[in-house]
Amino acid sequence: MVKGDPTYLGPVSASPQICATELLDLAKVTARDVVYDLGCGDGRVVITAARERGARGVGVELDDKAVLKAKESVEREGVRDLVDILHKDVFEVDISKATVVFMYLLPTGNKSVGQKLLAECRPGTRVVTYIFKMDPSWVPYLDKVQPVSTSTSIDTTAMSKLHLYRIPEPPSAANESTNCVGSPSKATPPKMGAVSRTGVWKRNADAHNPSSFWTPKRVVWAGAVGLLLMVIGRTT
């Protein structure tokens, strides 16, 4: 995937190690969890989850060099029994077994992958993004925002944040109400995006259109700020 490709998720860049550590507490990761990192880079997030919490980890990465580095790190850290690194396109991987998903992607990448998350992940699955939020249709699913200081000399917390979301319950027949004469009537459908029982992404016509928020200028600005924080994180 390259820039200009609608499936482009962002450049290869490792998350600061402090993010890998703090997201474990934010998402309350335990040995019972299965942590996926979509665009895992050198694999540090899933490796940290395995090493510090005993969680199973799956890193998904398309870049050849990053995959090689991630696999070497898995061997070096002795977590081969808990961590798998998949050399695949994110959109080709089944993520239905994930209980925690981490993403450090550009806003356009979050938007594209967000539809896959809602279609495949189980209700209650925790989704954590670094720096960039999910698109505006995910606002109802946002649980917590945690600033992360990635530098000892510069305050980066204005943009350097972890965002915790939870996959919502799908519309259910159990939510059907009964009218005054005893006949069932369908509950009012949600205004925001939701996942049907068949796993199809749905959004009502009156739902907020996230594309109206991410204008080309805003995407360029957000990408520039994100890349700056990546550089700061690498030098600290």
Side-chain angles (χ1 to χ4, degrees):
M1 291 182 285
V2 296
K3 292 181 179 179
D5 186 328
T7 59
Y8 179 69
L9 304 181
V12 178
S13 182
S15 306
Q17 181 59 42
I18 189 172
C19 290
T21 301
E22 292 197 11
L23 81 85
L24 299 181
D25 290 330
L26 179 64
K28 294 181 171 58
V29 175
T30 71
R32 293 175 294 181
D33 282 309
V34 180
V35 181
Y36 275 62
D37 185 353
L38 306 182
C40 70
D42 62 8
R44 66 181 60 185
V45 168
V46 287
I47 289 173
T48 301
R51 186 182 62 227
E52 298 189 10
R53 301 296 171 87
R56 292 198 57 81
V58 179
V60 184
E61 179 57 62
L62 195 58
D63 183 81
D64 296 346
K65 292 181 179 179
V67 169
L68 179 59
K69 187 174 182 179
K71 289 185 175 181
E72 290 175 346
S73 296
V74 168
E75 293 291 338
R76 183 173 61 253
E77 296 295 331
V79 291
R80 183 175 58 180
D81 292 341
L82 291 174
V83 175
D84 292 318
I85 303 297
L86 305 182
H87 190 187
K88 290 185 176 182
D89 186 320
V90 165
F91 296 101
E92 297 175 353
V93 175
D94 178 5
I95 57 175
S96 61
K97 294 181 180 180
T99 59
V100 177
V101 177
F102 176 73
M103 303 190 301
Y104 181 15
L105 309 175
L106 292 177
T108 50
N110 284 347
K111 179 181 177 182
S112 297
V113 178
Q115 299 184 22
K116 178 179 176 68
L117 295 176
L118 289 171
E120 297 183 17
C121 291
R122 291 168 289 183
T125 298
R126 290 145 283 167
V127 176
V128 181
T129 67
Y130 176 53
I131 296 183
F132 302 113
K133 299 178 182 179
M134 300 299 289
D135 74 61
S137 67
W138 278 65
V139 170
Y141 317 142
L142 182 61
D143 189 351
K144 187 176 181 180
V145 178
Q146 179 172 310
V148 179
S149 179
T150 59
S151 172
T152 57
S153 58
I154 302 175
D155 183 6
T156 61
T157 56
M159 280 292 293
S160 181
K161 298 176 181 178
L162 293 169
H163 307 88
L164 172 64
Y165 300 84
R166 294 183 186 275
I167 298 294
E169 291 284 346
S172 172
N175 292 330
E176 292 185 349
S177 61
T178 303
N179 62 24
C180 59
V181 294
S183 59
S185 61
K186 292 184 178 179
T188 303
K191 291 185 178 180
M192 305 306 292
V195 182
S196 71
R197 287 182 176 276
T198 58
V200 178
W201 169 259
K202 293 185 176 180
R203 180 181 287 128
N204 292 344
D206 61 346
H208 179 80
N209 182 6
S211 62
S212 64
F213 178 82
W214 287 113
T215 62
K217 286 185 179 180
R218 282 179 171 170
V219 170
V220 171
W221 177 86
V225 174
L227 290 174
L228 175 61
L229 289 175
M230 293 176 191
V231 173
I232 294 173
R234 285 180 173 181
T235 57
T236 56

